[in-house]
């Protein structure tokens, strides 16, 4: 149980285009989802916290107009990287949690590798 | 700001030996700690967790020790196997559900 999926697993796009990444909780309802970014050989950095039906809370330094997050249902959150540039190339990972699973436990998706040319 | 850090960025052990990965945290308000394993190109995989009201917790081949006095966390892996080779992160939880990750330790198991 507690499986989180992401789609796509890899995406390559041209500079200036937008990319949407989906995060789904497959067998549970996720009241809260988190988006992280990870650069090579570095740790995970929290970008934003997303609660179903409300606006995402962004971490300091993360542009909310560039990284659009939508959490429209209890099983799906999307991250859209708008007007992507090469410096946005990174590994994007989502996680999900729900009270029924244990309030502090986060389950992570497999990640999405974004490469911006 | 406060952060979670690791003492050793890389650790090389022989197959069959025990591994110890250390982590220091600075936020005394942290009440929940987790160890994750991350293989190349994959998301973090939950290994074991511990709450601040405990000082030791054991799982299958893994043990987590928490020393709140010196704000230190460790992960012990018994009889390390090649499949244990990965990057290991400690993470702490203080306010709500957001996790603060440490820098990571790369564990390399040699035959």
């Amino acid at each position: 149980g507690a499986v989180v999926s992401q789609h796509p697993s890899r995406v390559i796009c041209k500079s200036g285009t937008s990319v949407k990444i989906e995060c789904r909780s497959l067998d549970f309802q996720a009241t809260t989802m988190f988006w992280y970014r990870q650069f090579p050989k570095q740790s995970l950095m929290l970008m934003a916290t997303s609660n179903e039906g409300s606006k995402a809370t962004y971490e300091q330094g993360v542009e909310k107009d560039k990284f659009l997050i939508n959490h429209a249902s209890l099983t799906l959150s999307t991250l859209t990287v708008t007007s992507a540039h090469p410096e946005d190339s990174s590994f994007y990972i989502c996680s999900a949690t729900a009270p029924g699973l244990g309030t502090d436990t986060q389950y992570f998706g497999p990640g999405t590798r974004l490469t911006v040319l | 700001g406060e952060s979670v850090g690791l003492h050793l960025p890389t650790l090389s052990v022989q197959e069959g030996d025990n591994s110890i990965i250390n982590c220091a945290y600075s936020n005394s308000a942290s009440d929940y700690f987790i160890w994750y394993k991350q293989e190349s190109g994959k998301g973090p995989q939950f290994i074991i967790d511990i709450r601040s009201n405990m000082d030791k917790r054991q799982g299958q081949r893994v043990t987590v020790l928490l020393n709140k006095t010196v704000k230190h966390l460790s992960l012990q892996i018994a009889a390390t196997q090649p499949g244990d080779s990965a990057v290991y992160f400690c993470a702490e939880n203080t306010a709500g559900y957001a996790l603060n990750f440490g820098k990571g330790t790369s564990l390399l198991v040699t035959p």
Side-chain angles (χ1 to χ4, degrees):
Chain A
V3 177
V4 177
S5 71
Q6 283 184 240
H7 178 80
S9 58
R10 288 179 179 275
V11 57
I12 301 173
C13 69
K14 293 182 179 179
S15 184
T17 61
S18 295
V19 175
K20 180 185 285 188
I21 302 170
E22 294 184 348
C23 176
R24 293 182 184 272
S25 56
L26 297 185
D27 50 3
F28 67 100
Q29 293 185 326
T31 52
T32 304
M33 288 184 170
F34 303 89
W35 286 96
Y36 295 83
R37 179 167 51 181
Q38 185 179 32
F39 293 106
K41 300 190 185 302
Q42 294 189 22
S43 187
L44 283 75
M45 297 298 296
L46 179 67
M47 298 176 67
T49 301
S50 169
N51 291 295
E52 186 268 337
S54 62
K55 291 183 178 180
T57 301
Y58 290 81
E59 295 299 299
Q60 190 173 8
V62 178
E63 300 175 56
K64 63 179 181 180
D65 294 330
K66 179 171 182 62
F67 299 99
L68 302 178
I69 292 173
N70 183 284
H71 192 164
S73 77
L74 286 172
T75 59
L76 173 64
S77 176
T78 60
L79 167 67
T80 301
V81 182
T82 63
S83 187
H85 291 285
E87 57 266 30
D88 298 324
S89 298
S90 187
F91 194 49
Y92 291 87
I93 309 171
C94 72
S95 70
T97 188
L101 299 177
T103 54
D104 298 326
T105 304
Q106 286 189 30
Y107 296 90
F108 284 83
T112 296
R113 173 75 59 193
L114 170 63
T115 302
V116 185
L117 302 177
Chain B
E2 295 182 310
S3 64
V4 179
L6 294 175
H7 295 309
L8 296 173
T10 59
L11 177 64
S12 182
V13 299
Q14 278 200 314
E15 182 178 358
D17 288 351
N18 297 332
S19 303
I20 300 177
I21 301 172
N22 296 302
C23 176
Y25 65 95
S26 56
N27 189 345
S28 57
S30 296
D31 57 4
Y32 179 58
F33 304 87
I34 315 100
W35 281 100
Y36 287 96
K37 172 186 179 183
Q38 186 179 31
E39 296 175 318
S40 181
K42 298 183 179 179
Q45 175 187 356
F46 174 91
I47 300 174
I48 192 168
D49 59 0
I50 189 168
R51 297 195 180 275
S52 58
N53 60 352
M54 303 172 68
D55 53 20
K56 181 179 180 179
R57 190 158 188 234
Q58 287 185 293
Q60 188 175 15
R61 281 201 308 119
V62 294
T63 300
V64 55
L65 299 178
L66 175 62
N67 186 330
K68 294 182 288 294
T69 302
V70 295
K71 299 191 187 72
H72 184 268
L73 190 70
S74 69
L75 175 70
Q76 300 178 2
I77 304 174
T80 315
Q81 303 169 359
D84 295 327
S85 294
V87 177
Y88 290 80
F89 293 97
C90 64
E92 62 175 340
N93 177 264
T94 52
Y97 310 121
L99 292 175
N100 181 26
F101 279 81
K103 295 180 181 179
T105 292
S106 177
L107 176 65
L108 177 63
V109 182
T110 57

